[in-house]
């Protein structure tokens, strides 16, 4: 999964909850993206998104496939956010949501 060098996510902060939505391109349609959220108690809090890929198939076509994700974390508005992908630190490009936007309206194409 070396092809994943950065992760883009639209960032929403509504009522004390950070929501991150985005897409990651993976090498096969058999790759399933999973994301866990860890909030480390400090001030400001540190929020880490831990991305992993699950693939239990023995044979799968090599076709680039987009996997969407959504993760939430309850933390203050000053929280610092970072990410890991398959155990390694990875740059996280957070794109602020526009006023009035909600995570349910997330579009297929992220621009940032």
């Amino acid at each position: 999964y070396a092809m994943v060098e950065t992760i883009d996510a639209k960032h929403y902060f509504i009522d004390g909850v950070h929501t991150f939505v985005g897409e990651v391109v993976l090498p096969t349609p058999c790759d399933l993206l999973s994301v866990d959220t860890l909030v480390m108690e400090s001030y400001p809090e540190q929020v880490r998104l831990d991305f992993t890929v699950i693939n239990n198939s023995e044979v799968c076509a090599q076709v680039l496939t987009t996997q969407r994700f959504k993760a939430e974390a309850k933390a203050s508005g000053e929280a610092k956010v970072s990410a890991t992908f398959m155990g390694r630190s990875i740059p996280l490009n957070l794109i602020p949501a526009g006023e009035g936007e909600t995570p349910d309206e997330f579009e297929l194409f992220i621009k940032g």
Side-chain angles (χ1 to χ4, degrees), residues 24-39:
V24 176
V25 177
L26 298 175
T28 77
C30 300
D31 294 321
L32 300 177
L33 183 67
S34 174
V35 59
D36 291 316
T37 317
L38 176 65
V39 178

Side-chain angles (χ1 to χ4, degrees), residues 16-79:
V17 177
H18 295 268
T19 304
F20 310 92
V21 294
E23 300 173 334
V24 176
V25 177
L26 298 175
T28 77
C30 300
D31 294 321
L32 300 177
L33 183 67
S34 174
V35 59
D36 291 316
T37 317
L38 176 65
V39 178
M40 293 165 264
E41 297 299 325
S42 59
Y43 193 83
E45 301 95 334
Q46 297 175 51
V47 176
R48 190 176 73 213
L49 306 179
D50 293 324
F51 292 87
T52 55
V53 177
I54 301 163
N55 185 335
N56 295 323
S57 65
E58 301 219 2
V59 177
C60 193
Q62 295 292 308
V63 178
L64 295 179
T65 305
T66 301
Q67 292 282 324
R68 298 182 88 177
F69 66 87
K70 179 178 179 181
E72 295 181 339
K74 187 172 180 151
S76 69
E78 295 81 28

Side-chain angles (χ1 to χ4, degrees), residues 1-22:
Y1 301 102
M3 66 183 280
V4 179
E5 297 176 347
T6 186
I7 293 177
D8 295 331
K10 196 130 193 200
H11 177 220
Y12 302 84
F13 183 65
I14 302 169
D15 297 331
V17 177
H18 295 268
T19 304
F20 310 92
V21 294

